Amino acid sequence: PHSYHGFPEEAQAEGGAAAAPSATEQAGVGLIFSPTDDGKFVVYNVVKDSAADEVGVVNIHDVLVKVDGRSTEGLSLERLRTLIVGPPGTCVHLTFVRPAKGKQREGRYSVDLIRTPMDSRRGGLRTIEQLDADVKAVKAQAIEETKARAREEQKRKEVESALRKEQLQLREAKSNLEFVVGELRKANEEKLAVERDLEDQRQACELEKQALEAQLYEADVLRTAAEDELRR
């Protein structure tokens, strides 16, 4: 259920015309509240061209916590209406809490609104049908906002999923790179070891060559000496 606190309740006279306001006419400030399960009164709509709309402070989803300094806790919707509605032209002091949203923290504020019985810009009383049309428009807007938030949430989840996937791929690529670098380092160390072995073998071969050349030289000297001995 919603409580209309913007204009007096209007009965339709015969023929469909709005009944004229009585001498005891009561007026509100142009706010429509929706009670929650935990007993709070949330602004469901701000009636166009009303006192609340002209002040431009109260937003949809703000929570009413006090009326003229009196807490709304434990009040019924009808009792709340009797506190807000009053003689046209009188003032009502309302205190609201604006819920936290995004980086914006929860905040409390107060506003003085003049009770207004009619839509002066349109020159007549607003009918219940007009208020219902406002409610339907707000409800449609709320549905679209909910869908938009759902789309944004889905997009956010998709982006987070893509980021997690990319991070996983980066970790795997880093792991593979570290493995390749390790294998290259190992291969380089094995190459250096082979080169050292080859150098050792070359030096050993060189020493053996030198030893053989020395032996050949000594054999040649002995052969020459033997030949000289035979000639004698």
Side-chain angles (χ1 to χ4, degrees), residues 137-181:
V138 171
K139 185 179 294 185
Q141 181 180 358
I143 292 174
E144 290 301 320
E145 290 177 353
T146 301
K147 290 180 179 179
R149 286 194 295 270
R151 288 192 295 268
E152 291 177 358
E153 180 66 15
Q154 180 63 27
K155 185 176 181 180
R156 183 186 66 80
K157 290 180 179 179
E158 291 175 355
V159 171
E160 289 180 350
S161 177
L163 287 175
R164 285 194 295 268
K165 186 176 180 180
E166 289 181 359
Q167 290 174 351
L168 179 60
Q169 291 175 345
L170 287 174
R171 283 196 294 268
E172 291 177 351
K174 180 181 178 181
S175 178
N176 292 336
L177 181 60
E178 291 175 349
F179 174 77
V180 171
V181 170

Side-chain angles (χ1 to χ4, degrees), residues 9 61 70 82 100 111 149 178 225:
E9 295 184 359
H61 304 311
R70 176 173 178 171
T82 61
V111 60
R149 286 194 295 270
E178 291 175 349

